[in-house]
Amino acid sequence: MSTSTSAARTAPGEQDGPRRVPPAARRRPVTPGRVLLYAVLTLVSLAWLFPVVWAVYNSFRDYAFTAVNGYVSFGGFTLDNYARAWEQGDFGRHFLNTLVIVVPSVLVTLFLASMVAFVLARFSWGLNVAMLVFFTAANLLPQQALLIPLFRFFLRVGLYDSYWALIIVHVAFQMGFCTFVLSNYMKTLPKELTEAAFVDGAGVLRQYVQIILPLCRPPLAALATLQVTWVYNDFFWAVAFLSTGDKFPVTSALANLQGQFFIDYNLLSAGSVIVAVPTLVVFFALQRHFVSGLTLGANKG
Amino acid sequence: MPTHPRPAALPSRLPDLHALQSAFARRSLLRGAGAVGAVGALSACGSDDAGGGGDGEATTLGSRFGDEVPRAAEDAVIAAFTEASGIEVTPNVQDNETFQESINSYLQGNPDDVFTWFAGFRGRFFDDQGLVGDLTDVWTDIEDGFTPAFKEASSNGDKQILVPVLNYPWAVFYRKSLFEENGYTVPETRDDLIALCEQVQADGLVPFAFGDADGWPAMGTFDILNMRLNGYDFHISLMAGDEDWDGDEVRAVFEEWATLLPFHQEDPVGRTWQDAAASLLQKESAMYILGMFVGEQFPEGEERDDLDFFTFPALDDEIGNGALDAPIDGYMMVADPQDEAAAKDFLRFLGSKEAGELFLAENPNNIAAHLEADTSGYSALQQKAAELIGSAENIAQFLDRDTRPDFASTIVIPALQKFLQDPEDIDGVLTDLQAGKERLFVEEG
Amino acid sequence: MTATPVAPPPAPAAGGGARPRRRRRTRLQLLTTTDRVVLAVMVAVPALIVLCIVWLPTLGTVLLSFTGWNGIGGLDRVNFVGTDNYEAITTSYPPFWTAIRNNVLWLAVFFLVATPLGMFLAVLLDRDLKGSWFYRSSIYLPVVLSLALAGFIWQLIYSRDQGLLNVVLGLEGSDRVDWYGDPSVNIWAVLVAASWRHVGYIMLLYLAGLKSVDLALKEAAAMDGASETRTFFSVVFPTLAPINVVVLVITVIESLRAFDLVWVVNKGRNGLELLSALVTANIVGEASLVGFGSAIATILFAIAMVFVVPYLGSILREERR
């Protein structure tokens, strides 16, 4: 914050404007603080981007060239890595598998977590904190620790090597985190919102669906973005509970680009870029929800 | 063997795949025709011993060959087998690392009938756990194709459990052109070796390339020093947990290593084997103790043809230099296959020279395990490797295949890396190794 | 629902916030039977899933930590060894103490550097800036990258012989730093990479959290002539108490569960030991040491509880007031 010290940034009349755009935004004068703000953000962004850009740069280069000249060099450009990665990794099939795992996992996680959060944050029944811990503390465990008991469990109930095992595990493990975030968010919503509905005789379901959920759009969008990323990038549980290679998610396509000893890193980078695209699309699609603000949600609701 | 290949900054070039594939297609056509007769005979003798369920018509294969080159080779083997026998083989392919890491649950879940695995302790372990099938009767049919050493490596006691297909030697690799340019000669004795190292250093080069970021490459150095100083029998007995790790023998290995370490690349623990191989390729280092897969880092053609090797010289004249690491890859059968007759037919075919040749057509950095496999297509390096392995007095599999995998990964790797960081502290390293050995080898009684 | 602007948010949860917080929840007694059943179902179904998939296996892991087992065969092959595993871990397993140190270090760096930086960037970005999508996306990008790519990216930078960092620093020959191999340096190198990812996702959560702060509040403060810095610390930050708690807890979770980067670099060995990596090294693979690995996992869980219990206590006290 120290970078932007422009004090009287808002003209008094501005709050009356539409809420969609934070006031003060468009007609803000150029001040040294503002310049500094942009400078800092630009620098940070470039610093964050740089490593990725460099890897992407190398994904467009030929192996023979970088092997001989090293990575700190210029030349050997090719698109071949992308074509080979796509074909060799069997991306089409694995993308589809991933879709089958990610979509239900994320939807069910957010659905169940929002219900629990709603009950825990909006109603008082003595066990609120205990339940919150019940859901959240589960996240403190490293997943690896539960591998053996879970493997035995799924083998016993016949879900080993099926997508159900994966979806259930993702839901169970991600729910705690989502419940925690959502319940904390819901606590910030004023009680008066639901109280009026309550007095009108609306049931709890209606309060949940019509009042609370629409207001939770920012955290839901943020969580969906994160959940998609996490579930999508998971390889650990897939390896643990699947044994048919053709059922594996897209993360395995990357693993298939590596041999027993030999790793073509230019090829692998190209594959990784292909893999990263869907999560970026999700981020772009959802970001306006968590950056556009609560008032927007309220107006639309 | 190495369970965990990982990030490298300097990978090399894959062989020119298109050229390889067309060469391969030609070969498979030829071989496929030749294989028909062999397999017909094989399936005839296989079908009458159908012990398990199934009617000998189809089998499944769990494979760790997910990447391009071995995938194509294995598919060609399957096609040749199906064509010859009429038995369908359904491959279930995972990537190499995943397959190895999840092998435990894989075999206890619903595994395929046949699966890719390794010779030595790593194979025996699963037989001891009752998870793999007895292939003794398969071996009566394929026995002529393998040396006794291969049979031994594929056995657990009196019964055979693995069909060997490929192997490759660990040796000291170098570039012929560099040796010629600088007038270096292959060392015959320890004194030669030290003199060579000093000369290389004087020329401003690094005598030995070395990278141990993955943890396992240093095992190769340990193995060879231990076999040269203490002999093959001690080595195997040490691996089996029957010797002390803090005794004089192992101490001598680390002391010898400590004297050689100044001739190695600095800071090996952060360097991947690929980076180290790059320094050999770029003629910054003169030699490299590694498996023959080092060739994968060398672009096909001039560079790869320039690669040569010698076996590590004797350090003790009484022990000589007749032992080496030459890990064997092969196939095993699960304990209760769906269709045992078909699985065994397939394994017989995998143990045939045709199968060995089909694998080799694609893979210039291995040699076929089968004795009669056609070696006319071998490169000079492959020829030499086949001769080396054929003439070896003893063949070890590699540290992480000759001992308990948990001991190798959780005790030996950290200890070796500790030694490489601080070669002065041999006592500390030996203490760690011995403590780990006592904990792990005692645990199961 | 309503077109009226959202009512003023509740008072800050900290300190004097206790009363409004309690009033925010509706008491169950006021509800109809149907509503109570609905609420019960809404919690019971998820609770059942978490119980079966997380807590019972956790119990299983704790029990296994008192056994020796290689993970193969039936439970009849499991033999009870008492606290042997714990003794071995604390006395004859050198990586354990390094791992404890590294986990603490991880926690400290996330806490003091990465998390505050993520918050700070979110605050800067929580306004209508030109091209803010670009800043947001750049900073979030590391979060979406696959491990393979993240590992490769940092290898390109840290590699002793080929890496950019040594070139940029002008280090040559023996002066080169072995960023990933030298155990006194590599944990810091990895922490930079880990923070690189952590910042992005703290920023994302915080951005969403900042939206719960009513604009009217900020504007009111601004009208009073308060500087942005003061507005933030005296008005915005306190109302963010709930999201601050989220970020805090996530930082703890991420630090204790940290795993993937060190695993990609060197399987968590040679200076990069972390408890979760030790658990994995012992449990995953052939001839696994399930009992031993479970004991490390149990210790990790106990450490996690050290952070959870005080947090719990403070909430409970607040609720009861």
Side-chain angles (χ1 to χ4, degrees):
Chain A
M1 290 308 302
S2 54
T3 54
S4 46
T5 47
S6 58
R9 63 194 234 281
T10 333
E14 276 191 11
Q15 302 92 330
D16 300 324
R19 279 288 150 78
R20 245 156 228 282
V21 180
R26 278 175 291 188
R27 274 164 284 166
R28 190 167 296 175
V30 178
T31 66
R34 205 91 189 127
V35 172
L36 191 59
L37 172 67
Y38 276 104
V40 166
L41 283 174
T42 307
L43 266 180
V44 170
S45 298
L46 291 180
W48 252 243
L49 267 183
F50 173 75
V52 183
V53 169
W54 204 27
V56 171
Y57 165 69
N58 279 305
S59 75
F60 286 106
R61 300 173 74 194
D62 187 49
Y63 217 21
F65 188 87
T66 51
V68 176
N69 298 288
Y71 282 110
V72 191
S73 62
F74 187 84
F77 296 104
T78 175
L79 286 172
D80 194 40
N81 290 325
Y82 284 86
R84 266 181 54 212
W86 180 270
E87 191 186 339
Q88 192 179 327
D90 199 1
F91 274 90
R93 177 208 301 274
H94 294 299
F95 266 131
L96 208 62
N97 293 343
T98 288
L99 199 68
V100 171
I101 297 165
V102 170
V103 171
S105 298
V106 173
L107 290 182
V108 172
T109 302
L110 291 179
F111 174 65
L112 294 181
S114 65
M115 289 200 313
V116 175
F118 169 69
V119 178
L120 296 185
R122 310 297 294 186
F123 299 91
S124 167
W125 49 307
L127 288 174
N128 295 54
V129 176
M131 286 306 285
L132 195 58
V133 170
F134 176 85
F135 281 99
T136 312
N139 274 74
L140 288 165
L141 286 169
Q143 305 177 326
Q144 301 83 5
L146 305 184
L147 175 68
I148 302 289
L150 278 175
F151 165 68
R152 296 272 153 180
F153 171 75
F154 285 123
L155 202 57
R156 177 66 60 90
V157 300
L159 290 181
Y160 179 69
D161 200 26
S162 84
Y163 290 136
W164 291 109
L166 277 183
I167 293 168
I168 291 171
V169 163
H170 282 309
V171 168
F173 272 87
Q174 302 297 346
M175 202 158 40
F177 172 73
C178 294
T179 303
F180 186 65
V181 173
L182 286 171
S183 81
N184 272 284
Y185 190 88
M186 288 180 192
K187 279 181 200 161
T188 66
L189 301 176
K191 185 184 174 184
E192 290 75 10
L193 284 175
T194 44
E195 215 154 53
F198 185 59
V199 172
D200 289 347
V204 289
L205 265 185
R206 266 189 62 193
Q207 293 181 26
Y208 162 69
V209 174
Q210 296 188 342
I211 299 173
I212 299 297
L213 272 192
L215 284 175
C216 283
R217 201 174 304 182
L220 281 173
L223 284 173
T225 310
L226 282 174
Q227 291 298 322
V228 166
T229 306
W230 287 338
V231 176
Y232 181 93
N233 280 329
D234 166 74
F235 194 33
F236 180 78
W237 291 125
V239 168
F241 301 134
L242 294 179
S243 68
T244 304
D246 286 350
K247 289 184 186 170
F248 274 48
V250 75
T251 30
S252 76
L254 282 184
N256 270 333
L257 299 181
Q258 316 174 21
Q260 182 172 0
F261 302 107
F262 171 81
I263 302 172
D264 175 345
Y265 259 106
N266 300 10
L267 179 70
L268 197 59
S269 297
S272 302
V273 171
I274 297 176
V275 167
V277 167
T279 42
L280 277 179
V281 169
V282 169
F283 174 76
F284 283 120
L286 291 180
Q287 66 165 340
R288 69 183 182 87
H289 292 286
F290 57 78
V291 297
S292 63
L294 186 64
T295 44
L296 176 67
N299 281 329
K300 274 193 174 173
Chain B
M1 36 143 313
T3 331
H4 314 298
R6 39 150 261 101
L10 228 229
S12 82
R13 178 163 177 64
L14 272 176
D16 182 343
L17 290 165
H18 298 296
L20 252 181
Q21 268 158 358
S22 53
F24 182 57
R26 278 198 309 278
R27 271 186 100 148
S28 13
L29 273 177
L30 293 173
R31 303 292 165 220
V36 176
V39 171
L42 288 173
S43 29
C45 61
S47 48
D48 54 14
D49 66 359
D55 43 15
E57 282 175 2
T59 189
T60 51
L61 166 67
S63 173
R64 63 188 172 88
F65 297 131
D67 59 320
E68 199 163 5
V69 174
R71 182 73 252 128
E74 198 176 66
D75 282 341
V77 171
I78 290 171
F81 171 68
T82 302
E83 194 189 333
S85 66
I87 297 174
E88 293 290 331
V89 179
T90 312
N92 169 23
V93 185
Q94 298 178 25
D95 70 277
N96 174 60
E97 184 165 349
T98 299
F99 188 83
Q100 291 192 43
E101 281 190 350
S102 57
I103 184 71
N104 224 327
S105 36
Y106 171 76
L107 288 178
Q108 294 182 81
N110 37 7
D112 304 287
D113 287 359
V114 179
F115 67 99
T116 50
W117 204 240
F118 312 102
F121 187 101
R122 286 185 82 180
R124 286 178 201 127
F125 173 78
F126 289 116
D127 187 42
D128 293 340
Q129 307 300 326
L131 292 172
V132 299
D134 186 350
L135 300 181
T136 306
D137 53 346
V138 170
W139 263 85
T140 56
D141 298 323
I142 63 173
E143 184 147 15
D144 293 344
F146 301 95
T147 64
F150 275 76
K151 185 175 180 184
E152 168 61 27
S154 307
S155 304
N156 190 18
D158 287 337
K159 87 178 175 191
Q160 282 72 53
I161 52 173
L162 176 115
V163 171
V165 174
L166 298 175
N167 72 334
Y168 58 89
W170 276 67
V172 184
F173 288 83
Y174 64 94
R175 289 192 69 159
K176 282 181 283 196
S177 61
L178 180 79
F179 268 47
E180 275 163 28
E181 288 157 21
N182 294 3
Y184 304 149
T185 51
V186 170
E188 304 281 337
T189 65
R190 182 177 187 276
D191 291 344
D192 288 354
L193 182 68
I194 300 291
L196 174 60
C197 287
E198 283 165 353
Q199 191 189 345
V200 172
Q201 256 176 352
D203 291 343
L205 303 178
V206 178
F208 282 105
F210 194 28
D212 193 42
D214 307 279
W216 52 262
M219 291 175 172
T221 310
F222 176 86
D223 283 359
I224 199 68
L225 292 178
N226 193 29
M227 284 191 278
R228 291 289 178 270
L229 287 169
N230 299 313
Y232 172 82
D233 292 338
F234 176 85
H235 178 66
I236 291 301
S237 168
L238 179 72
M239 294 296 114
D242 296 333
E243 307 282 346
D244 283 339
W245 282 81
D246 55 359
D248 290 341
E249 293 91 347
V250 180
R251 178 181 303 274
V253 171
F254 282 103
E255 280 167 357
E256 176 70 14
W257 198 348
T259 61
L260 292 176
L261 213 48
F263 298 124
H264 285 64
Q265 269 182 304
E266 274 184 277
D267 295 338
V269 182
R271 186 180 299 109
T272 61
W273 76 261
Q274 289 95 334
D275 272 1
S279 80
L280 187 71
L281 172 65
Q282 292 159 3
K283 298 188 178 179
E284 290 162 5
S285 304
M287 296 172 278
Y288 193 8
I289 302 172
L290 203 73
M292 201 159 91
F293 54 83
V294 68
E296 294 185 22
Q297 286 297 109
F298 280 62
E300 205 185 5
E302 192 188 329
E303 278 97 349
R304 191 175 286 170
D305 294 341
D306 195 32
L307 196 62
D308 202 349
F309 67 83
F310 58 88
T311 192
F312 199 87
L315 298 174
D316 179 333
D317 288 339
E318 285 180 24
I319 289 168
N321 64 352
L324 79 159
D325 275 332
I328 299 169
D329 294 356
Y331 290 82
M332 299 175 90
M333 185 178 76
V334 296
D336 52 346
Q338 301 285 316
D339 187 335
E340 186 172 333
K344 284 186 170 173
D345 277 351
F346 184 45
L347 283 160
R348 278 187 192 88
F349 183 71
L350 288 166
S352 70
K353 80 187 190 72
E354 287 79 8
E357 285 162 0
L358 285 172
F359 272 111
L360 256 293
E362 282 278 338
N363 208 330
N365 298 302
N366 286 295
I367 56 175
H370 200 281
L371 279 174
E372 294 157 20
D374 177 16
T375 59
S376 60
Y378 276 9
S379 66
L381 197 70
Q382 282 173 303
Q383 299 274 11
K384 198 170 169 181
E387 279 162 32
L388 177 67
I389 291 175
S391 65
E393 287 163 28
N394 300 106
I395 294 174
Q397 292 300 309
F398 198 67
L399 195 148
D400 68 4
R401 298 184 182 195
D402 282 326
T403 190
R404 292 177 58 106
D406 47 6
F407 180 65
S409 66
T410 67
I411 306 295
V412 177
I413 290 181
L416 295 186
Q417 292 192 331
K418 184 173 165 183
F419 167 74
L420 296 176
Q421 294 289 348
D422 181 13
E424 307 279 301
D425 185 24
I426 294 179
D427 284 333
V429 172
L430 296 182
T431 308
D432 287 358
L433 285 165
Q434 180 66 11
K437 178 232 151 181
E438 281 169 8
R439 176 161 63 83
L440 296 186
F441 281 90
V442 167
E443 195 161 271
E444 293 193 346
Chain C
M1 27 147 281
T2 162
T4 52
V6 177
R19 276 180 63 84
R21 172 187 278 266
R22 199 173 55 190
R23 270 195 300 139
R24 212 180 308 127
R25 291 197 185 123
T26 309
R27 291 190 168 277
L28 275 192
Q29 290 89 322
L30 300 174
L31 298 174
T32 63
T33 314
T34 320
D35 278 352
R36 270 187 249 175
V37 171
V38 169
L39 289 184
V41 171
M42 285 170 96
V43 174
V45 173
L48 193 70
I49 297 177
V50 171
L51 180 72
C52 289
I53 303 297
V54 181
W55 287 111
L56 290 182
T58 302
L59 187 66
T61 296
V62 173
L63 292 179
L64 281 173
S65 74
F66 297 102
T67 68
W69 187 36
N70 64 10
I72 292 178
L75 292 178
D76 52 313
R77 292 214 200 175
V78 177
N79 49 341
F80 183 75
V81 298
T83 54
D84 283 7
N85 289 327
Y86 292 93
E87 270 179 58
I89 288 168
T90 47
T91 56
S92 63
Y93 190 59
F96 176 73
W97 293 108
T98 323
I100 294 272
R101 189 204 69 186
N102 286 346
N103 272 100
V104 171
L105 206 59
W106 207 280
L107 195 66
V109 169
F110 270 23
F111 232 89
L112 299 176
V113 182
T115 298
L117 186 57
M119 288 180 174
F120 176 64
L121 289 171
V123 171
L124 294 189
L125 287 168
D126 181 41
R127 54 184 83 200
D128 196 36
L129 294 175
K130 274 206 192 88
S132 65
W133 68 269
F134 170 76
Y135 305 127
R136 275 198 305 269
S137 311
S138 312
I139 296 165
Y140 182 72
L141 187 61
V143 182
V144 310
L145 295 181
S146 71
L147 264 187
L149 189 56
F152 173 50
I153 286 170
W154 290 98
Q155 180 84 33
L156 279 175
I157 290 167
Y158 286 135
S159 163
R160 180 188 179 278
D161 308 336
Q162 307 280 345
L164 194 65
L165 194 51
N166 279 340
V167 173
V168 168
L169 295 177
L171 299 174
E172 290 188 1
S174 294
D175 291 338
R176 285 187 210 160
V177 179
D178 188 6
W179 297 102
Y180 268 169
D182 184 342
S184 60
V185 178
N186 57 8
I187 186 72
W188 298 103
V190 170
L191 275 168
V192 169
S195 300
W196 180 63
R197 296 177 96 194
H198 188 71
V199 165
Y201 111 76
I202 293 299
M203 177 205 69
L204 180 82
L205 283 169
Y206 226 71
L207 270 182
L210 283 168
K211 296 308 160 193
S212 66
V213 179
D214 189 26
L215 275 175
L217 209 66
K218 288 192 222 171
E219 285 154 21
M223 252 198 311
D224 293 345
S227 74
E228 272 192 67
T229 319
R230 266 198 50 206
T231 309
F232 178 76
F233 281 109
S234 58
V235 181
V236 180
F237 195 77
T239 61
L240 279 176
I243 195 76
N244 289 341
V245 170
V246 167
V247 166
L248 207 90
V249 169
I250 285 170
T251 302
V252 172
I253 291 178
E254 283 297 302
S255 311
L256 293 179
R257 293 204 321 194
F259 166 75
D260 43 18
L261 267 171
V262 300
W263 195 253
V264 158
V265 172
N266 69 359
K267 305 274 179 205
R269 297 177 181 124
N270 183 45
L272 296 186
E273 290 86 355
L274 286 178
L275 289 173
S276 55
L278 295 187
V279 171
T280 311
N282 280 287
I283 281 183
V284 171
E286 350 157 27
S288 344
L289 303 168
V290 173
F292 194 79
S294 298
I296 302 175
T298 306
I299 293 174
L300 177 51
F301 188 60
I303 294 173
M305 284 302 152
V306 170
F307 289 92
V308 174
V309 170
Y311 160 67
L312 254 186
S314 72
I315 300 189
L316 276 176
R317 268 195 306 279
E318 210 173 283
E319 296 269 325
R320 291 228 177 89
R321 224 183 295 156

